[in-house]
Amino acid sequence: MAPEIRYTKLFINNEWVDSISGKTFDTYNPHDGSVIAKVSEGDKADIDLAVAAAKKAFARNSEWRLMDARQRGKILNRFADLVQEEASYLAELESYNNGMLLQLSSRLTSNAVDGIRYTASLADKIEGSTIPADGDVFCYTLKQPVGVCGLILPWNVPILMFLNKVVTALAAGCTTVVKPAEQTPLTALYLASLLQKAGVPAGVVNIVNGYGETAGVALTHHPDVAKISFTGSLEVGKLIQQAAGANNLKRITLELGGKSPLVIMNDADLATAIRFAALGVFTHQGQICIAASRLFVQSGIYDQFVKGAVEVAKTLKIGNPFDSQSQHGPQIDEGMMKKVLGYIEKGKQEGAKLLVGGKQAGSKGYYIEPTVFADVQDDMTIAKEEIFGPVQSILKFETLDEVIDRANATNYGLAAGIFTTNVNNAIQFANNVEAGVVWVNNYMGGGGQAPFGGFKESGIGREGGKHGVDEYLEVKTVTISVPKKVSN
Ligand code: NAP
Ligand code: MG
């Protein structure tokens, strides 16, 4: 039972419109490669219209700019109510367009409701400070919205990414133009309809479906866009930083994936570590930026660990994301499936030991078997590049000191994890690993209240928590002459 598709046009100034060119593109179901719908394809001309609408909505004295911060929070809470009411439909639409297991999209959508309420609660807690500056002055700071924000989304977790960026920007008082990933426009469009229903004024949220090379480039080069928040590949992240610098020095937040190390010490609880290591790399078929794609296992437990890891990978049930028995769904599209299979071939050629999986599963859709490589060496391609697929690469190490250096020997720095029962190991690892997020005796734990982002080439800036809101704000210092001494 395919979910009904209700929105396929562009959303500009609270209206559903065709693209100016009249062009459309197909969007697909990764389960079987079938076409779901034709979606309006926006390009520069549509981005111009959307940015103009967002600029008008951000103008001084506009409804949005004059709105009390508390009221922004109320609208976002109303939006959370609507997302909660429509959570099943949204989760189905996400799975249909993205291939995510329905269990996962349902859990993420329900978590997202809590996330929206948390961020909504910050709208009226954006506070400056008073500063004891030099001289006869009264000095204070204001935190003000940065302006029109271009939000460029990836395809891997579309609902979560939409909400992380849009809700945070709105809580801060910004206006937005969103470009969803070409593969997954449908949930973004539906969420826009709910934002409108919740009372977001016209022009505050605009959605332009389209391709990165056209719509995306137009947004990153637009002189009226003050900030870009982007999640996706490192390659495109670099282009966005260049575009931001070449034009009006846009503020940027970049979240660019990783090659995250997960370290298992001899003293770890083995069964728990094996389970989390599998979760860390096979969740959503490895299509997550924080995937634990370099698994370092200490020599004393190496053989036993590898045996356990293979058992887990073997038993994952591959199947339709809509089937509640399925534990492993398809990759997003044929291109990504081929790219991941290419990495698996590289792993074999370069001498890693393939223990399970390694092939396309079935002949329909874009399924890949959960794959485990052991005896992986640091200089192999599968240990260096982000695969974004269900490939567990296991490496052996001897000491904590050695593994910290090896964990840090990467251009990325998004996430890291360690399993150990020794508190010194845990703290020394957390202190020294070069990553924006560190998990000890869990992987992917916590929630949206905490900041999230990367060191090194994994990104710039943070999303989540209060740090996330700050990324959409400018700080203004106001200094007023006032004699300290009262003279009359
Ligand atoms: P991508 O090309 O970086 O796409 C991410 C978003 O940026 C999409 O909306 C894309 O539009 C847009 N875009 C592409 N080129 C652009 C440009 N020059 N200017 C502005 N926007 C542009 O990622 P991908 O091709 O979908 O996936 C490739 C690899 O990226 C994956 O293998 C994975 O390693 C990584 N990735 C990482 C994350 C993450 O969470 N960090 C998420 C997704 C992918 P289109 O719709 O035209 O692509
Ligand atoms: Mg792309």
Side-chain angles (χ1 to χ4, degrees):
M1 18 61 261
E4 184 198 343
I5 308 304
R6 298 182 210 165
Y7 302 101
T8 56
K9 296 191 179 194
L10 311 181
F11 184 72
I12 299 177
N13 215 22
N14 272 4
E15 285 173 17
W16 296 100
V17 294
D18 291 318
S19 57
I20 290 174
S21 70
K23 282 198 225 163
T24 60
F25 63 93
D26 292 338
T27 192
Y28 300 90
N29 174 1
H31 166 59
D32 56 10
S34 60
V35 174
I36 296 177
K38 285 194 180 308
V39 173
S40 294
E41 180 192 328
D43 57 27
K44 183 175 181 307
D46 308 282
I47 289 287
D48 285 347
L49 280 183
V51 172
K55 185 180 177 185
K56 187 159 170 247
F58 192 76
R60 199 160 59 83
N61 293 335
S62 71
E63 181 186 356
W64 185 241
R65 293 302 295 284
L66 295 179
M67 188 181 283
D68 285 346
R70 181 200 291 270
Q71 182 59 21
R72 288 204 306 274
K74 278 190 182 167
I75 289 177
L76 291 175
N77 263 308
R78 213 174 297 143
F79 173 58
D81 295 340
L82 295 170
V83 173
Q84 193 162 15
E85 280 166 29
E86 306 255 8
S88 322
Y89 172 73
L90 277 162
E92 283 175 19
L93 194 59
E94 185 88 325
S95 289
Y96 193 41
N97 198 193
N98 169 278
M100 186 183 292
L101 294 179
L102 186 59
Q103 308 152 37
L104 181 60
S105 58
S106 302
R107 183 152 46 86
L108 291 180
T109 307
S110 134
N111 292 348
V113 173
D114 295 336
I116 300 167
R117 294 199 196 287
Y118 170 81
T119 308
S121 77
L122 297 178
D124 63 358
K125 292 168 195 67
I126 294 168
E127 296 168 354
S129 46
T130 55
I131 297 164
D134 295 340
D136 280 5
V137 296
F138 170 49
C139 179
Y140 63 95
T141 57
L142 294 171
K143 287 191 182 175
Q144 299 187 321
V146 70
V148 176
C149 298
L151 309 176
I152 301 180
L153 308 182
W155 46 260
N156 58 337
V157 270
I159 291 180
L160 194 72
M161 291 294 146
F162 179 97
L163 295 176
N164 278 354
K165 293 190 197 297
V166 175
V167 174
T168 315
L170 298 193
C174 293
T175 62
T176 61
V177 176
V178 182
K179 196 209 81 67
E182 68 193 82
Q183 294 92 338
T184 54
L186 298 178
T187 45
L189 295 174
Y190 196 72
L191 288 165
S193 78
L194 299 185
L195 281 162
Q196 180 178 16
K197 230 175 168 180
V200 172
V204 172
V205 175
N206 305 276
I207 318 279
V208 179
N209 319 308
Y211 294 107
E213 295 72 15
T214 50
V217 166
L219 193 55
T220 58
H221 285 80
H222 203 295
D224 291 333
V225 173
K227 178 196 167 80
I228 297 284
S229 176
F230 166 81
T231 299
S233 62
L234 172 56
E235 187 192 353
V236 174
K238 286 181 175 172
L239 293 177
I240 285 173
Q241 191 174 25
Q242 286 163 22
N247 281 271
N248 53 340
L249 207 65
K250 292 177 178 63
R251 283 81 183 100
I252 48 171
T253 305
L254 302 176
E255 202 275 273
L256 309 177
K259 193 70 195 170
S260 299
L262 173 58
V263 171
I264 319 294
M265 306 289 296
N266 286 337
D267 62 15
D269 176 320
L270 199 62
T272 310
I274 290 170
R275 188 163 56 82
F276 272 101
L279 261 180
V281 77
F282 295 132
T283 296
H284 197 25
Q285 296 79 253
Q287 302 172 126
I288 45 174
C289 50
I290 49 180
S293 54
R294 286 185 299 149
L295 180 57
F296 291 96
V297 180
Q298 204 167 11
S299 56
I301 52 161
Y302 184 83
D303 292 340
Q304 219 185 332
F305 188 97
V306 169
K307 217 167 131 217
V310 168
E311 274 319 302
V312 176
K314 259 189 196 157
T315 52
L316 288 176
K317 188 171 180 307
I318 303 173
N320 189 336
F322 279 82
D323 180 345
S324 62
Q325 302 299 308
S326 297
Q327 296 170 305
H328 188 87
Q331 308 307 121
I332 184 76
D333 60 20
E334 192 178 359
M336 275 307 297
M337 180 181 73
K338 287 190 168 152
K339 187 173 166 189
V340 175
L341 290 171
Y343 276 117
I344 292 173
E345 277 316 303
K346 264 258 154 75
K348 290 197 274 186
Q349 280 163 21
E350 293 178 7
K353 199 150 106 200
L354 178 67
L355 296 178
V356 59
K359 300 191 300 298
Q360 181 177 1
S363 54
K364 194 177 70 165
Y366 312 120
Y367 291 84
I368 297 179
E369 297 168 344
T371 297
V372 178
F373 279 107
D375 299 349
V376 176
Q377 306 300 318
D378 295 10
D379 60 353
M380 290 178 180
T381 308
I382 58 170
K384 291 198 298 201
E385 295 182 17
E386 182 173 50
I387 299 176
F388 233 60
V391 181
Q392 188 171 55
S393 295
I394 309 184
L395 306 93
K396 193 190 280 190
F397 75 95
E398 298 295 335
T399 69
L400 181 63
D401 195 43
E402 164 211 332
V403 82
I404 290 172
D405 279 343
R406 290 173 62 190
N408 288 342
T410 167
N411 55 326
Y412 286 112
L414 187 56
I418 186 166
F419 279 76
T420 177
T421 46
N422 178 321
V423 70
N424 290 349
N425 289 342
I427 293 175
Q428 287 171 348
F429 180 79
N431 283 347
N432 290 290
V433 73
E434 292 163 3
V437 187
V438 183
W439 288 293
V440 177
N441 292 331
N442 74 85
Y443 201 81
M444 306 194 289
Q449 301 94 334
F452 177 86
F455 280 28
K456 301 194 280 189
E457 289 190 317
S458 282
I460 293 178
R462 293 293 178 270
E463 295 190 300
K466 293 177 190 162
H467 289 265
V469 179
D470 278 340
E471 301 268 335
Y472 291 91
L473 297 168
E474 292 283 11
V475 177
K476 181 184 282 177
T477 303
V478 183
T479 308
I480 304 173
S481 285
V482 185
K484 285 194 180 97
K485 187 167 175 203
V486 181
S487 58
N488 54 5

